[in-house]
């Protein structure tokens, strides 16, 4: 039995532009066969892009579900990201080009980054922080966030970055679970013109976190003419970042870390809402993020790379900090919202900094589509040469819009599938080799192996099923912090007796040419009259309609069909919702993918409920569609959105 029906067919296919291929960092398709023949040799070659203090003696030690990479090797992640560039050829090359939301700017060269990171590492040491200690980081997207992470890595302390948009309760739970000794925060940051009072939030959390000995506070506007954000300091626990830095000396040796020593913990919310501390180690993680940043983004010396993610997410860890800096790249970092002061802020940034590579999320792309084509059209985007997407399936129409209005049909798009748990990109095109199909993440990267399985673990060559990773990837999580049993249960027990198979929780399909299409979380799969339908295909059909910017589809109990579909739809600024449009959309879906997927209800929404990282929360939409009380809403970005939808749904004609 197939686990998931595949309904949509997408015929468009885009080979990489010949000019791009000619200059691409990776353009020989033989890389796939070579890696397939000997994946360990492949990863060993990629690991050699790093500077090791001591070579490894064994590439992979695999005792399912556990594994170790580069056994016996020693290295330091921060030295790889900073020292070898600063003390080598890139001393005066910009490492970070930062812009705050209000418009303040800083450019930090590799030489300056070395000074900042080593001084802060020495400051942490002066507070008694040593190898293996946990340090919580709760900051806006300012350079100090990257500096703090790298300073921890330099001395072997384990950082746990908590997204600055999280509440005091979330911060408290994460500090308690990791037993962090030090918290690094700021008086505040800026978001949509307002101040986010981080220190005040932290103070609430700190009332219940006895493990914290010191709080280091960045003064967000220190040394500028801008107004200081008010916050209270508690003596002797709280210390100003700039005062510590004044006293801290530059330099000092990085701590040699074992390849399997922990680099960081990053909490990700499980389906139960109870966050898991995903554990990443040093050697394998650094190998895979360094390799994929270079190969997937075709990174070259003169690129200006902008990953729009916050350091609070894994994307910010891997592709804003560790991956690009390890490659010696110039990274752009922007603190604020994409629609501040106007809906063209991203495009203004690209034109101003001559950004060449843009890596962002479908949720942002769909917002840009909703706002209208005129915003990117105002700016010169000709510096761009490659576009990336991550976080959710990208609907084919959003892909086409991105390609046309941002890439001007010139830039290849890399749709990159991966997870907090995988640490680095797993399924993605290589832009100098792979032909792309809108909505498909294409193929597993060299050195990665995936399969599509049914619930008995049989491979499904063509069609829909459960995605599995069949070999450990160097950057994959090693355990859940303090709960190895949860690691085993969550990721390695989908197929009984097969602890070698990693289950990411996603459904996918494979087409005749072997392209992978992620269909959404298995927990969200719809079941209509015995057909199991992934959310992605119905949503993509809706987004194909010119009036629709974004859609979320959920199942609600139905006497005859098992489930009926309810579709929540946001309309583009250029169109208006109406009962006629609702009827038209139902028919549109039926025509596109079949009567089986015709939604019973269309609910027009100004906005959809999303997590703070921008993922649609279908679980809450199911609660609404089935008339239940709303489940856990603590991870919502904006609780008002879902309350409004609930009222609207309840007032619909039965
Ligand atoms: C889940 C992981 C990866 C960093 C950001 C999110 C979904 C991610 C894609 C993609 C389809 C995608 C999956 C995955 N996802 N990228 N390109 N196409 N789905 O990390 O919060 O750990 O989420 O995001 O469902 O399992 P995360």
């Amino acid at each position: 039995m197939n686990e998931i029906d595949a309904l949509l067919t997408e015929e468009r296919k885009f080979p990489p532009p010949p000019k791009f291929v000619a200059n691409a960092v990776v353009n020989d398709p033989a890389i796939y066969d070579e890696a397939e023949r000997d994946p360990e040799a492949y990863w060993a070659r990629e690991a050699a892009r790093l500077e090791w203090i001591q070579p490894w003696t064994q590439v992979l030690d695999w005792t399912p579900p556990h594994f170790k990479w580069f056994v016996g090797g020693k290295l330091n992640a921060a030295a790889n990201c900073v020292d070898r560039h600063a003390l080598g050829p890139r001393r005066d090359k910009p490492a970070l080009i930062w812009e705050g939301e209000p418009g303040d700017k800083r450019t930090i060269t590799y030489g300056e980054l070395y000074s900042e990171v080593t001084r802060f590492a020495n400051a942490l040491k002066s507070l008694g922080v040593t190898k293996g200690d946990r340090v919580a980081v709760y900051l806006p997207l300012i350079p100090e966030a990257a500096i703090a992470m790298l300073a921890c890595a330099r001395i072997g302390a384990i950082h746990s970055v908590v997204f600055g948009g999280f509440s005091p309760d979330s911060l408290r739970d994460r500090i308690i679970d990791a037993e962090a000794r030090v918290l690094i925060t700021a008086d505040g940051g800026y978001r949509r013109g307002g101040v986010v009072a981080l220190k005040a939030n932290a103070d609430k959390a700190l009332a219940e976190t006895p493990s914290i000995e010191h709080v280091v506070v960045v003064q967000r506007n220190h040394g500028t003419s801008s107004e200081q954000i008010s916050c209270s300091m508690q003596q002797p626990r709280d210390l100003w970042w700039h005062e510590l830095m004044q006293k801290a000396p530059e330099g000092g040796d990085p701590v040699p870390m074992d390849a399997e020593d922990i680099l960081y913990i990053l909490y990700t919310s499980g389906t139960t809402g109870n966050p898991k501390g995903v554990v990443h180690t040093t050697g394998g993680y650094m190998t895979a993020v360094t390799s994929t940043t270079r190969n997937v983004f075709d990174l070259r010396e003169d690129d200006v790379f902008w990953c729009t993610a916050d350091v609070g997410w894994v994307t910010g860890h891997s592709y804003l900090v560790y991956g690009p800096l390890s490659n010696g790249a110039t990274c752009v970092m922007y603190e604020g919202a994409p629609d501040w002061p106007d809906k063209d802020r991203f495009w203004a940034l690209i034109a101003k900094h001559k950004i060449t590579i843009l890596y962002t999320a479908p949720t942002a792309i769909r917002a840009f589509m909703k706002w209208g084509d005129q915003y990117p059209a105002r700016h010169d985007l000709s510096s761009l040469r490659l576009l990336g997407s991550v976080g959710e399936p990208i609907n084919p129409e959003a892909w086409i819009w991105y390609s046309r209005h941002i890439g001007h049909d010139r830039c290849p798009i890399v749709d990159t599938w991966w997870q907090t748990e995988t640490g680095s990109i797993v399924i993605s095109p290589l832009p100098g080799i792979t032909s792309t199909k809108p909505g498909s993440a294409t193929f597993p990267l060299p050195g990665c192996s995936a399969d599509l399985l049914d619930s008995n673990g049989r491979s499904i060559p063509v069609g829909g099923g459960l995605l599995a990773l069949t070999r450990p990837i160097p950057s994959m999580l090693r355990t859940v912090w303090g709960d190895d049993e949860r690691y085993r249960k969550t990721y390695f027990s989908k197929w009984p007796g097969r602890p070698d198979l990693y289950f990411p929780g996603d459904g996918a399909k494979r087409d005749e040419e072997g392209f992978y299409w992620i269909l959404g979380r298995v927990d969200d799969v719809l079941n209509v009259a015995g057909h199991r339908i992934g959310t992605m295909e119905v949503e993509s059909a809706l987004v194909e309609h010119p009036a629709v910017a974004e859609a979320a589809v959920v199942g609600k109990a139905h006497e005859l069909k098992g489930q009926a579909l309810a579709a929540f739809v946001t309309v583009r600024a250029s169109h208006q919702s109406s009962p006629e449009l609702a009827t038209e959309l139902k028919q549109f879906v039926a025509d596109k993918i079949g009567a089986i997927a015709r939604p019973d209800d269309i609910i027009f929404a100004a906005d959809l409920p999303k997590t703070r990282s921008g993922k649609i929360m279908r679980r809450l939409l199911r609660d609404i569609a089935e008339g239940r009380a709303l489940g856990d809403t603590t991870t919502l970005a904006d609780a008002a959105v879902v309350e409004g939808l609930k009222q609207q749904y309840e007032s619909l004609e039965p």
Side-chain angles (χ1 to χ4, degrees):
M1 190 196 89
N2 283 359
E3 289 295 321
I4 303 172
D5 293 342
L7 303 175
L8 206 65
T9 42
E10 170 60 62
E11 303 290 351
R12 290 169 287 194
K13 191 169 173 182
F14 300 89
K19 247 175 75 187
F20 191 98
V21 175
N23 299 314
V25 167
V26 183
N27 56 13
D28 180 0
I31 190 173
Y32 285 97
D33 288 341
E34 279 165 27
E36 185 56 37
R37 259 198 308 278
D38 191 347
E40 290 180 33
Y42 173 80
W43 285 117
R45 276 197 301 278
E46 294 303 295
R49 299 189 190 287
L50 297 170
E51 230 172 62
W52 292 77
I53 298 167
Q54 181 180 302
W56 59 87
T57 52
Q58 188 185 359
V59 177
L60 172 64
D61 172 359
W62 188 12
T63 321
H66 293 105
F67 48 87
K68 295 176 183 158
W69 282 89
F70 308 114
V71 182
K74 288 194 192 299
L75 75 167
N76 184 282
N80 273 284
C81 292
V82 184
D83 301 33
R84 63 169 167 155
H85 311 304
L87 308 176
R90 300 193 178 97
R91 195 186 60 151
D92 298 321
K93 177 177 177 174
L96 295 174
I97 298 176
W98 173 80
E99 196 166 312
E101 191 181 73
D104 39 349
K105 289 178 199 63
R106 277 169 77 186
T107 297
I108 299 178
T109 64
Y110 275 96
E112 290 162 344
L113 189 62
Y114 175 83
S115 167
E116 298 282 320
V117 170
T118 55
R119 280 158 65 219
F120 194 62
N122 290 327
L124 286 173
K125 274 208 230 168
S126 74
L127 300 179
V129 178
T130 58
K131 185 179 166 188
D133 286 343
R134 274 79 62 202
V135 173
V137 176
Y138 184 60
L139 285 172
L141 197 51
I142 54 178
E144 284 79 2
I147 294 165
M149 291 161 73
L150 292 163
C152 287
R154 191 171 184 87
I155 61 171
I158 298 168
H159 58 71
S160 163
V161 181
V162 180
F163 175 53
F166 276 142
S167 65
D169 285 1
S170 309
L171 175 62
R172 177 200 58 205
D173 294 348
R174 286 159 174 78
I175 290 174
I176 291 175
D177 190 75
E179 296 175 275
R181 290 182 65 185
V182 170
L183 170 68
I184 302 163
T185 186
D187 46 4
Y190 295 96
R191 187 80 190 175
R192 286 219 171 76
V195 169
V196 184
L198 290 166
K199 178 60 164 63
N201 281 349
D203 282 334
K204 286 186 201 145
L206 288 163
E208 296 168 65
T209 55
S211 64
I212 294 286
E213 295 159 27
H214 284 292
V215 182
V216 181
V217 186
V218 179
Q219 203 168 46
R220 166 68 177 77
N221 294 328
H222 181 71
T224 69
S225 53
S226 309
E227 204 180 307
Q228 296 308 329
I229 299 166
S230 83
C231 78
S232 66
M233 299 288 278
Q234 181 186 309
Q235 300 301 337
R237 184 195 67 186
D238 299 352
L239 304 155
W240 287 113
W241 171 292
H242 57 271
E243 289 181 5
L244 276 175
M245 288 291 261
Q246 259 164 20
K247 285 180 272 174
E250 190 179 302
D253 287 335
V255 172
M257 298 290 281
D258 194 275
E260 285 296 324
D261 278 339
I262 299 177
L263 177 60
Y264 68 80
I265 306 171
L266 182 59
Y267 287 85
T268 179
S269 41
T271 38
T272 59
N274 171 15
K276 302 184 275 278
V278 166
V279 171
H280 284 297
T281 56
T282 307
Y285 176 81
M286 286 303 296
T287 296
V289 297
T290 305
S291 162
T292 51
T293 306
R294 173 184 184 271
N295 297 348
V296 172
F297 297 107
D298 189 54
L299 194 67
R300 286 192 247 133
E301 194 57 47
D302 53 355
D303 274 315
V304 181
F305 182 84
W306 186 23
C307 164
T308 66
D310 191 277
V311 285
W313 315 117
V314 73
T315 311
H317 284 61
S318 300
Y319 298 107
L320 175 54
V321 179
Y322 290 110
L325 294 179
S326 159
N327 278 286
T330 296
C331 308
V332 171
M333 196 180 206
Y334 165 60
E335 176 188 30
D339 55 350
W340 191 267
D342 200 356
K343 297 184 171 68
D344 64 346
R345 184 66 180 268
F346 271 28
W347 320 126
L349 279 158
I350 287 170
K352 187 193 297 168
H353 300 293
K354 303 215 172 348
I355 290 165
T356 58
I357 303 169
L358 172 67
Y359 190 32
T360 193
T363 181
I365 297 165
R366 293 186 304 248
F368 301 140
M369 279 171 73
K370 180 166 116 184
W371 295 337
D373 311 344
Q374 67 274 28
Y375 295 102
R378 281 183 196 162
H379 298 275
D380 176 9
L381 304 181
S382 62
S383 57
L384 286 172
R385 64 179 196 89
L386 182 74
L387 304 175
S389 169
V390 62
E392 285 181 292
I394 179 166
N395 317 102
E397 283 317 307
W399 193 104
I400 294 289
W401 186 92
Y402 193 29
S403 173
R404 180 152 314 146
H405 294 280
I406 310 306
H408 298 156
D409 295 325
R410 233 174 353 90
C411 306
I413 296 182
V414 288
D415 173 4
T416 63
W417 178 91
W418 57 295
Q419 307 180 296
T420 304
E421 292 87 342
T422 68
S424 69
I425 300 168
V426 178
I427 304 179
S428 163
L430 286 175
I433 297 177
T434 318
S435 290
T436 52
K437 298 183 184 183
S440 167
T442 72
F443 308 102
L445 288 174
C448 300
S449 32
D451 204 352
L452 265 189
L453 304 177
D454 67 15
S455 46
N456 297 316
R458 273 189 297 260
S459 180
I460 300 167
V462 175
L466 306 169
L467 186 62
L469 302 183
T470 55
R471 263 200 312 254
I473 294 162
S475 57
M476 269 165 62
L477 83 165
R478 297 302 193 265
T479 188
V480 171
W481 179 257
D483 196 349
D484 196 56
E485 192 46 33
R486 194 165 175 198
Y487 166 81
R488 219 178 258 276
K489 276 212 189 99
T490 312
Y491 304 110
F492 294 94
S493 52
K494 180 74 182 174
W495 296 279
R498 294 294 306 274
D500 56 318
L501 293 176
Y502 171 87
F503 179 50
D506 284 350
K509 74 176 182 191
R510 196 155 44 184
D511 68 19
E512 286 75 9
E513 296 179 298
F515 283 71
Y516 282 82
W517 304 71
I518 308 299
L519 297 177
R521 303 294 296 169
V522 167
D523 296 339
D524 290 333
V525 163
L526 314 157
N527 194 332
V528 185
H531 295 273
R532 288 169 59 81
I533 304 173
T535 49
M536 142 67 155
E537 295 193 312
V538 186
E539 290 163 4
S540 291
L542 284 161
V543 176
E544 251 184 78
H545 191 283
V548 177
E550 187 161 48
V553 176
V554 297
K556 58 170 195 173
H558 185 280
E559 261 175 62
L560 302 176
K561 296 192 274 191
Q563 280 188 333
L565 302 191
F568 295 78
V569 169
T570 59
V571 168
R572 294 207 202 193
S574 49
H575 289 71
Q576 281 218 309
S577 61
S578 65
E580 293 72 38
L581 179 61
T583 311
E584 192 180 319
L585 289 177
K586 291 179 192 174
Q587 190 53 39
F588 189 77
V589 174
D591 292 343
K592 282 247 86 93
I593 54 180
I596 187 80
R598 175 200 294 270
D600 278 32
D601 301 323
I602 299 273
I603 304 96
F604 292 109
D607 225 330
L608 298 174
K610 300 210 177 132
T611 62
R612 289 183 180 79
S613 64
K615 285 196 211 304
I616 298 171
M617 280 182 78
R618 295 180 187 76
R619 171 171 64 76
L620 293 175
L621 293 174
R622 279 198 293 275
D623 291 343
I624 293 175
E626 299 200 318
R628 271 193 303 270
L630 294 174
D632 183 10
T633 55
T634 49
T635 55
L636 267 180
D638 179 357
V641 168
V642 67
E643 276 304 332
L645 278 178
K646 193 168 160 62
Q647 284 166 16
Q648 202 184 323
Y649 197 84
E650 281 160 2
S651 65
L652 276 185
E653 306 263 329

